[in-house]
Amino acid sequence: MSIIELVQTQLIKADLDKCLFHARVDSEYYRPCSKKNSRPIFKSRGANPRPFLGKSNELVAQELILAHAFRKKKPKDKISGYIHCIYHFHFGPDISRSFHLSDLSNLFEIVSDALQTSDVIENDRFIMSFDGSRKILSEKTMLEVFVL
């Protein structure tokens, strides 16, 4: 059964004909990472240095990869208003056997931010739900994004 059939039959009751955006990012470039556990602590410059969370090189690279992939398929106009997103995180054998699988909720942030950065959606605060999103053990690592 293809992933589209799986979505249509089991995961959501929405009409996929009303899908505003769909993209697939293959494992050639994409490796799942989360914002939560990969942020280094830096200190600001000045007389009273204060610690702050920065972005790791891996996080910056993954955001750029996702934003670039989304820009290739973005609609003419930004999607505005309240939306529902479905993210399918496919984990191939190289990742699924490791103990480094991130929590599903932690994986949402980087994808939502990349959708906003690539001008697909107006603002990620308008995402009302992630119903049907899941981690899937498969033969190939990839990400599928549906915006309804």
Side-chain angles (χ1 to χ4, degrees):
M1 180 181 291
S2 75
I3 195 70
I4 299 294
E5 291 169 346
L6 187 65
V7 169
Q8 287 175 335
T9 58
Q10 295 178 2
L11 299 180
I12 59 169
K13 304 291 182 195
D15 185 4
L16 282 183
D17 293 335
K18 296 179 183 176
C19 185
L20 303 172
F21 176 78
H22 173 254
R24 177 182 290 164
V25 183
D26 290 325
S27 62
E28 182 178 342
Y29 307 106
Y30 171 71
R31 286 200 54 91
C33 72
S34 82
K35 290 179 93 171
K36 183 178 179 182
N37 297 325
S38 62
R39 299 186 76 166
I41 299 173
F42 296 109
K43 288 193 176 182
S44 62
R45 297 179 186 167
N48 296 325
R50 295 183 182 163
F52 66 93
L53 290 176
K55 290 185 177 182
S56 68
N57 292 337
E58 179 189 8
L59 181 61
V60 170
Q62 288 303 312
E63 279 184 352
L64 290 173
I65 287 167
L66 289 174
H68 180 69
F70 295 158
R71 276 190 197 108
K72 286 181 180 179
K73 298 190 175 197
K74 77 175 192 168
K76 270 193 245 179
D77 299 324
K78 275 187 195 179
I79 300 170
S80 60
Y82 296 109
I83 57 173
H84 301 277
C85 292
I86 302 169
Y87 302 153
H88 292 162
F89 300 94
H90 295 259
F91 291 93
D94 57 326
I95 296 177
S96 60
R97 289 193 186 106
S98 75
F99 290 102
H100 300 293
L101 287 176
S102 297
D103 292 345
L104 182 60
S105 60
N106 293 338
L107 294 170
F108 291 155
E109 288 182 43
I110 189 170
V111 180
S112 299
D113 288 347
L115 283 171
Q116 181 176 337
T117 302
S118 62
D119 291 332
V120 172
I121 62 174
E122 185 178 337
N123 197 318
D124 60 355
R125 68 185 168 117
F126 293 125
I127 298 174
M128 298 303 289
S129 73
F130 295 102
D131 294 346
S133 297
R134 58 188 57 219
K135 294 191 285 188
I136 302 168
L137 300 179
S138 65
E139 296 176 14
K140 185 175 170 181
T141 301
M142 68 177 171
L143 167 70
E144 278 196 297
V145 176
F146 300 88
V147 178
L148 306 170

